[in-house]
Amino acid sequence: MADSAYCDRLRIMAVVAAFLVVATLAGATSEAHGQEAESERVRDRIFLPLAVIGGVPVGEFSESVDFGYGLSAGLVFHLDRRRMVGLRLDASFLEYGRKTRGILLTDPLVGIIDLDIVTENSIASVGVGPQFTVPGEVVRPYMFVTAGFAYFWTQSFLGGAADTSSVERTTNLDDFTFSVAAAGGLLFRVHQGRHPVYVDLSVSYHRNGTVTYMAEESVRYAPDGMLIVTPIESEANLVLFSVGVSLSIG
């Protein structure tokens, strides 16, 4: 199991390294063609990255979880005029599992009520750290490293045909962990103007360490309908693929 996790990390590091080499070459070429225009344009320094993300578990985490999806947002404060060095704040939400079980309830006034018990497995993470960007007129490669925390939790709630909006969610399990991430990305400018807009593509590796969490198969129901949960304790590292935009906001 340890060898498998180690191999996963080596493969990820090799992919990210190759990605950064190609990205840097692309940025250097773009810089050579657009250096004059770059120096004349007024540069905004605060950007808002927004993205749809897909999460691929690696190592021990991949033995219990298949795939996750969600959203991410952040702020990048560039510290120099050419936006080469900055401070990045990242936040993301990822749902990596959902299980639904139908139940029938009998009410003396309305008869049979068709409901679902829905169980969701989620991760929320926040991190902050430096970002380094290669200057370019059209393409701007970048990389960043962040440190922060990740919050794993599993909730159950009622859904279905009846009005269950007033029913509170029940947290079956939750856990905090220290988290670090390393990422590489490409910014493709699609709008220049006073406030540039970029298509933002990136891949990042998130090391979350050992966490107590639940997967879809961790939830089952006894014959009497009682919910039975079986927590898992293992490393919960994953790779996130991100597709979004980066907007200049100031």
Side-chain angles (χ1 to χ4, degrees):
M1 185 177 297
D3 291 340
S4 175
Y6 179 73
C7 290
D8 282 332
R9 292 170 194 166
L10 287 180
R11 284 194 290 268
I12 292 165
M13 291 174 63
V15 170
V16 172
F19 175 85
L20 291 176
V21 170
V22 174
T24 302
L25 292 176
T29 302
S30 177
E31 172 70 4
H33 288 291
Q35 187 172 5
E36 182 177 352
E38 181 80 10
S39 62
E40 294 176 355
R41 189 166 64 247
V42 176
R43 310 300 297 173
D44 284 359
R45 295 184 181 180
I46 303 176
F47 274 73
L48 173 67
L50 302 169
V52 176
I53 58 176
V56 179
V58 296
E60 294 177 305
F61 201 32
S62 65
E63 297 176 7
S64 305
V65 176
D66 293 326
F67 185 76
Y69 57 90
L71 300 171
S72 69
L75 284 174
V76 180
F77 299 88
H78 293 282
L79 305 178
D80 63 315
R81 182 174 177 81
R82 300 183 71 194
R83 301 202 306 264
M84 296 177 63
V85 180
L87 182 65
R88 183 181 184 107
L89 172 66
D90 252 1
S92 64
F93 168 80
L94 186 80
E95 183 179 294
Y96 67 89
R98 173 186 284 251
K99 190 169 186 177
T100 302
R101 173 181 179 263
I103 61 172
L104 295 177
L105 298 180
T106 302
D107 186 277
L109 298 178
V110 300
I112 297 177
I113 305 174
D114 187 6
L115 296 174
D116 295 324
I117 299 178
V118 182
T119 302
E120 296 176 338
N121 304 312
S122 308
I123 308 171
S125 62
V126 175
V128 62
Q131 175 170 307
F132 305 96
T133 305
V134 179
E137 176 65 14
V138 178
V139 181
R140 295 175 60 87
Y142 67 89
M143 64 177 296
F144 66 83
V145 178
T146 61
F149 70 87
Y151 176 55
F152 289 68
W153 80 98
T154 296
Q155 288 186 329
S156 296
F157 61 93
L158 287 177
D163 181 10
T164 57
S165 58
S166 62
V167 179
E168 294 185 0
R169 292 172 175 250
T170 299
T171 300
N172 308 116
L173 181 73
D174 63 348
D175 196 9
F176 274 96
T177 182
F178 177 73
S179 177
V180 294
L186 285 173
L187 295 170
F188 297 92
R189 197 191 71 216
V190 293
H191 175 71
Q192 186 172 339
R194 177 61 180 83
H195 298 285
V197 178
Y198 292 85
V199 171
D200 190 346
L201 308 177
S202 70
V203 57
S204 57
Y205 174 71
H206 293 248
R207 179 175 177 80
N208 297 313
T210 300
V211 183
T212 301
Y213 62 94
M214 290 172 56
E216 289 185 5
E217 298 307 317
S218 300
V219 180
R220 61 189 182 89
Y221 298 91
D224 60 359
M226 181 176 294
L227 180 68
I228 300 176
V229 298
T230 307
I232 301 170
E233 184 175 359
S234 74
E235 288 191 340
N237 305 322
L238 70 160
V239 174
L240 295 184
F241 295 91
S242 171
V243 178
V245 295
S246 189
L247 310 172
S248 170
I249 60 173

